[in-house]
């Protein structure tokens, strides 16, 4: 069903501007896939989103998308979609409700509110990676242009009052390495996880206008596990002491790590590889130098998560010229 029109700009490596360190300059313009095989497919089934470039008219459904907001939990992203309806003054016709476009797959949720997509990514890098591939292909098939990507998450902070908003300027793995390592064809490939500094600073300026909480920019450590991987003593297993834990957390804090979560490395690496402008904005829900357990009330957690949503909503409104 999809129309071909201006679709499928061919990828040329030279199209991607890089600095001397190999950092790709993120840019506006059409979404380009760095995969020559996609155009050879008779049909591209986006299995986990329950969409296909043949069965769905993706340009008609998604061609106006400019902002994609990811977050771990399906409920949070549904709530964010409803919040964006209000923020963008969108009229939902009588008798209609916002619906989960990917309801047939039962893996992720996907809501569209005007030019905004709200997508859940589940927990951890494997889950994030799958939905990122499929969302990027969706944007490509839909001929979207000038798209920005955001991850709105939660994290454990280091020396920060819970509720602080951290904007990631670089994502690192559990060994402080700034790239995502992926086993591909029996080789370990390293994909650098750079983020767009200008976007970080713009979001920080928006966040800082609200003085009831702090908005800071720094490094985010991304781990493959919530418990031992994040130096917690309260998992089902633990082979280290409280002193070992604190020494590790203080060491990474001294190297500029402000928070720890589980998806930033993949999100940043994949957005960088696609040369799409992107940002990661997480509230902290515990100070890991004080505690492992997350004991804040549900209301408190909702309030903290709302801070990231409000900052991104203000950014989107500003860029859509909505007063
Ligand atoms: O964005 P969310 O809050 O889902 O991400 C963090 C990282 C893990 O997926 C999860 C662990 O509680 O929260
Ligand atoms: O401590 C935390 C809190 C949220 N998410 C994490 O990955 N770690």
């Amino acid at each position: 069903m999809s129309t071909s029109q201006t679709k499928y700009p061919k990828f040329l490596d030279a199209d991607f501007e890089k600095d001397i360190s190999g950092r790709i300059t993120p840019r506006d313009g059409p979404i380009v896939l760095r995969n020559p095989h996609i155009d050879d497919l008779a049909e591209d089934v986006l299995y986990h989103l329950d969409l296909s470039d043949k069965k769905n008219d993706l340009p008609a459904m998604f061609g106006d998308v400019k902002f994609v907001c990811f977050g771990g939990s399906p409920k949070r992203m549904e709530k964010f979609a409803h919040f964006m309806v209000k923020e963008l003054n969108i009229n939902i016709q009588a008798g209609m409700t916002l619906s989960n476009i990917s309801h047939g797959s039962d893996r992720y949720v996907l809501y569209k509110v005007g030019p905004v997509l709200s997508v859940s990514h589940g927990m951890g890098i494997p889950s994030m990676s799958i939905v990122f591939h499929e969302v990027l292909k969706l944007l490509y098939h839909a001929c979207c242009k000038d798209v920005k990507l955001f991850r709105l998450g939660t994290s454990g902070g280091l020396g920060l009052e819970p509720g602080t908003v951290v904007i990631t300027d670089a994502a690192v793995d559990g060994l402080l390495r700034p790239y995502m390592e992926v086993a591909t064809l029996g080789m370990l490939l390293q994909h650098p996880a750079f983020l767009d500094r200008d976007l970080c600073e713009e979001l920080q300026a928006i966040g800082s206008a609200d003085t009831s909480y702090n908005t800071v920019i720094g490094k985010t450590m991304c781990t493959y596990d919530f418990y031992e991987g994040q130096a917690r003593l309260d998992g089902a297993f633990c082979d280290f002491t409280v002193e070992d834990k604190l020494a590790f957390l203080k060491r990474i804090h001294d190297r500029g790590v402000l928070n720890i979560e589980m998806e930033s490395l993949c999100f940043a690496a994949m957005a960088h590889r696609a040369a799409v402008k992107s940002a990661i904005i997480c509230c902290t829900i515990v100070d890991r130098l004080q505690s492992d357990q997350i004991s804040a009330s549900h209301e408190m957690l909702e309030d903290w998560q709302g801070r990231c949503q409000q900052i991104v909503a203000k950014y989107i409104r500003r860029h859509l010229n909505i007063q």
Side-chain angles (χ1 to χ4, degrees), residues 34-248:
R34 303 177 71 179
N35 179 358
H37 306 291
I38 297 297
D39 294 354
D40 297 337
L41 295 174
E43 174 181 9
D44 191 8
V45 178
L46 309 178
Y47 168 63
H48 303 87
L49 294 179
D50 189 33
L51 291 167
S52 136
D53 73 330
K54 288 292 169 291
K55 295 198 180 71
N56 305 101
D57 187 347
L58 298 179
M61 290 170 75
F62 298 104
D64 62 339
V65 169
K66 299 287 176 210
F67 308 96
V68 184
C69 300
F70 293 85
S73 125
K75 272 268 170 288
R76 188 193 314 153
M77 298 325 284
E78 180 183 359
K79 231 180 134 189
F80 179 68
H82 285 282
F83 172 60
M84 288 312 297
V85 168
K86 292 201 199 99
E87 288 290 305
L88 302 185
N89 308 319
I90 289 187
N91 281 321
I92 305 240
Q93 287 170 353
M96 303 284 281
T97 50
L98 257 190
S99 64
N100 169 19
I101 299 168
S102 296
H103 63 92
S105 116
D106 202 27
R107 292 287 185 179
Y108 303 98
V109 298
L110 173 67
Y111 295 90
K112 182 172 183 301
V113 180
V116 178
L117 285 187
S118 181
V119 195
S120 67
H121 59 60
M123 286 199 279
I125 286 180
S127 183
M128 163 62 91
S129 161
I130 293 167
V131 78
F132 198 105
H133 275 284
E134 293 186 13
V135 166
L136 204 66
K137 293 198 297 170
L138 164 63
L139 298 172
Y140 168 70
H141 290 306
C143 308
C144 295
K145 287 192 185 129
D146 308 335
V147 180
K148 303 207 170 43
L149 310 176
F150 299 91
R151 166 169 141 69
L152 292 82
T154 62
S155 61
L158 293 176
L160 299 171
E161 191 184 336
T164 300
V165 171
V166 179
I167 299 165
T168 306
D169 66 355
V172 294
D173 72 1
L175 302 174
L176 289 170
R177 301 179 305 172
Y179 45 79
M180 175 173 67
E181 217 163 45
V182 186
T184 307
L185 304 185
M187 296 172 287
L188 267 185
L189 302 186
Q190 297 172 339
H191 299 291
F194 296 120
L195 288 149
D196 186 29
R197 184 78 203 179
D198 294 342
L199 194 47
C200 286
E201 284 172 2
E202 189 171 348
L203 291 171
Q204 193 198 19
I206 295 171
S208 301
D210 188 334
T211 50
S212 62
Y213 60 90
N214 284 326
T215 304
V216 294
I217 296 184
K219 277 197 194 112
T220 297
M221 176 173 274
C222 178
T223 65
Y224 290 89
D225 169 54
F226 182 82
Y227 287 99
E228 291 166 286
Q230 296 187 7
R232 279 189 158 82
L233 298 163
D234 60 345
F237 308 99
C238 185
D239 302 319
F240 46 84
T241 64
V242 65
E243 290 77 22
D244 296 334
K245 163 196 149 171
L246 287 173
F248 171 72

Side-chain angles (χ1 to χ4, degrees), residues 274-286:
V276 181
K277 292 183 184 168
S278 65
I280 299 166
I281 173 163
C282 293
C283 60
T284 62
I285 57 174
V286 59

